[in-house]
Amino acid sequence: MTQIAIFASGSGSNAENIADYFKGNPDIGVALILSNKQDAYVHERAKKLGIASFFFTKVEFDEGTKILDVLRKNKIDFIVLAGFLLKISQPILDAFSGRIINIHPALLPKYGGKGMYGDKVHQAVIDAGETESGITIHYVNEHYDAGHIIYQVSCEVQSGDSCDILAARVHALEYAHFPRVIEDVVRELYMRGDIPSNEKGRIG
Ligand code: GRF
């Protein structure tokens, strides 16, 4: 089975949606949720889902050893960032090269980069008078929001939209598409032999 770890810094509604999507799937599952915030609501969601969750500090994240140890112990093959606010650290990037993806709540390369997260993104889109926004699912590299784009889908920005209304529209796209795209990417990597498994042949 391919085991996914999700990193999230906040509410974790995507994390929950992804975990629900893979529930009962014999090939792919969410094994672990990790957060750099001890009080993030995502820990409550993990408890409810019966998934182990783990808190780490930024220092531990940047140094890498403790987190890589937890990922190894849980036999994690693939990492999903869902509302995770830290830039991925080099030790984790090295260990999971080509096996980390992120979701961004706008159409990259616009409205990405350092400091562009959550409502700041939606407000910038509204302030710029854009008529469309959307989601971008992309591989993660050493730069914020700059890895190879895997999938984008757009939605309308209507005149008079508040940040909350636009965020809700974008969230709906995330819930509808992110789990399926994760599944497609994991299956492709697995078929290419880029996801190691001790049970080769189970996906496909
Ligand atoms: C999502 O919009 C995601 O695209 C962005 O942060 C938000 C996280 O929401 N990176 P949630 O924590 O999954 O509810």
Side-chain angles (χ1 to χ4, degrees), residues 15-92:
E16 180 169 355
N17 182 53
I18 295 162
D20 276 343
Y21 179 88
F22 288 112
K23 207 168 173 188
N25 187 316
D27 299 325
I28 304 171
V30 176
L32 191 62
I33 292 176
L34 301 98
S35 183
N36 59 315
K37 301 274 184 200
Q38 196 153 24
D39 57 353
Y41 188 63
V42 72
H43 294 292
E44 298 302 315
R45 294 188 195 263
K47 213 177 287 166
K48 198 178 76 185
L49 289 159
I51 295 172
S53 77
F54 181 80
F55 158 73
F56 56 83
T57 65
K58 182 173 181 323
V59 171
E60 288 167 343
F61 185 64
D62 288 342
E63 196 274 324
T65 315
K66 192 170 164 188
I67 293 164
L68 285 174
D69 200 40
V70 172
L71 295 174
R72 267 189 217 110
K73 278 197 181 119
N74 285 274
K75 298 187 168 45
I76 298 301
D77 306 297
F78 190 78
I79 293 175
V80 171
L81 310 184
F84 182 62
L85 299 183
L86 298 180
K87 188 157 94 169
I88 202 81
S89 64
Q90 200 59 46
I92 294 169

Side-chain angles (χ1 to χ4, degrees), residues 11-14 83 103-105 171 174:
S11 162
S13 67
N14 275 286
I103 191 159
H104 186 77
H171 257 123
E174 296 182 331

